[in-house]
Amino acid sequence: MKRILGSGFATLLAACVAFSGAVLAQERTITVASTTSTEQSGLLGHLLPRFTASSGIGVKVVAVGTGQALDIGRRGDADVVFVHDKVAEEKFLAEGFGVKRFDVMYNDFVVIGPKADPAHIAGGKDVAEALRKIAVVKTAFVSRGDRSGTHEAELRLWKVAGVDLAAVKGDWYREIGQGMGAALNMASSSNAYLISDRGTWLAFKNRGDLAILTEGDRRLFNQYGVMLVNPARHAGVKAKDGQAFVDWLISSEGQKTIADYRVGGEQLFFTNATN
């Protein structure tokens, strides 16, 4: 009887230890505030399982516009921010909310529009000229209007084009306050122009009559960066595991994993981490 009890107790103890280990493994999770483009392009779905397999660290993603992602970091509600607006990222660092910023990868923005092209911008490489033509014709244009990296890039490009949006925008300029996928869906349903990151466009299925009309301007360059949220500002930041994610993204393994991601055989992001 003693032996049976002893054996059963040992089995129960082993099961408890295994269960505790599983619970601890599940609790080893970080939160990453990132952009809708990294999620809707499918990149994060490709990356994160590989990071977790390599590190044992799970990742919860909050996918919003870059401005909102940085605000989440400012509140200490994320451990890492992975975004694409270098000006805003450097401000985040200067305010003391981030530890150090690292380049991770880049792609580019493209001007999408209906194939009928009422603004006659197809085939051009000058994004400023394309936007000026759209503003003159006042043909439908969808803006994310959500303080995302894409929205901020769009606003800068209107300025470069010499277009005063406050003076000229009307019903033709539609600010929706939503992510890239929603903006593309609206443009598709209304045959409107918009600016998209190339990665989300390539992964987008509901294209309707839309096509890339203007591309290749150096001003359409789109850089992504990653930062650990400063644990000196927020004690709840999981600094060790968050830094492990940052380090993995810029490591040779992480960079290869990003570069290997393709849709329809086309590479969506090009790596340029220097560390």
Side-chain angles (χ1 to χ4, degrees):
M1 185 70 176
K2 282 185 180 180
R3 272 187 219 157
I4 294 173
L5 183 61
S7 174
F9 179 75
T11 302
L12 178 62
L13 181 62
C16 288
V17 169
F19 177 76
S20 299
V23 169
L24 287 172
Q26 289 173 355
E27 289 178 348
R28 196 177 176 197
T29 304
I30 60 169
T31 298
V32 174
S34 191
T35 72
T36 59
S37 61
T38 55
E39 181 187 53
Q40 292 172 355
S41 66
L43 176 68
L44 291 180
H46 170 77
L47 274 183
L48 299 184
R50 289 158 177 79
F51 168 70
T52 298
S54 175
S55 66
I57 302 168
V59 180
K60 296 176 182 177
V61 175
V62 182
V64 289
T66 287
Q68 293 170 284
L70 292 172
D71 285 344
I72 290 169
R74 286 185 176 93
R75 296 194 300 268
D77 292 332
D79 306 297
V80 174
V81 291
F82 182 18
V83 290
H84 66 138
D85 183 350
K86 193 169 182 178
V87 173
E89 293 164 49
E90 290 175 341
K91 183 174 185 288
F92 183 85
L93 278 177
E95 294 168 344
F97 289 108
V99 175
K100 185 177 180 180
R101 182 192 172 281
F102 297 90
D103 285 339
V104 177
M105 62 192 188
Y106 66 93
N107 61 10
D108 63 342
F109 295 111
V110 289
V111 182
I112 306 292
K115 293 173 186 174
D117 191 23
H120 304 293
I121 67 170
K125 290 189 175 181
D126 187 332
V127 65
E129 181 183 3
L131 292 177
R132 282 192 292 270
K133 287 180 176 180
I134 291 169
V136 167
V137 176
K138 291 185 168 53
T139 187
F141 183 95
V142 174
S143 171
R144 284 179 55 172
D146 62 351
R147 296 177 54 233
S148 63
T150 303
H151 180 222
E152 295 296 337
E154 178 218 315
L155 295 178
R156 287 193 292 269
L157 289 168
W158 284 114
K159 287 182 180 178
V160 167
V163 175
D164 181 356
L165 274 180
V168 304
K169 70 182 180 182
D171 292 343
W172 65 276
Y173 185 81
R174 305 167 186 177
E175 296 175 277
I176 65 170
Q178 296 185 60
M180 198 69 253
L184 283 163
N185 276 316
M186 178 170 281
S188 177
S189 65
S190 57
N191 281 333
Y193 293 89
L194 83 165
I195 291 174
S196 172
D197 69 283
R198 189 183 293 270
T200 307
W201 167 253
L202 289 173
F204 183 62
K205 305 298 183 188
N206 182 34
R207 295 183 180 183
D209 197 43
L210 298 181
I212 294 176
L213 300 180
T214 299
E215 60 182 326
D217 192 318
R218 60 179 179 78
R219 292 169 292 192
L220 292 170
F221 180 78
N222 181 29
Q223 178 69 54
Y224 289 77
V226 68
M227 293 177 281
L228 177 71
V229 176
N230 191 351
R233 280 293 188 101
H234 299 288
V237 170
K238 298 174 183 176
K240 182 178 178 182
D241 287 350
Q243 189 62 50
F245 178 66
V246 172
D247 292 344
W248 185 83
L249 280 182
I250 63 175
S251 71
S252 57
E253 180 184 357
Q255 294 279 281
K256 183 179 186 304
T257 304
I258 292 168
D260 285 346
Y261 180 57
R262 284 168 166 75
V263 171
E266 188 163 354
Q267 186 172 342
L268 271 65
F269 299 93
F270 298 85
T271 56
N272 64 346
T274 56
N275 293 274

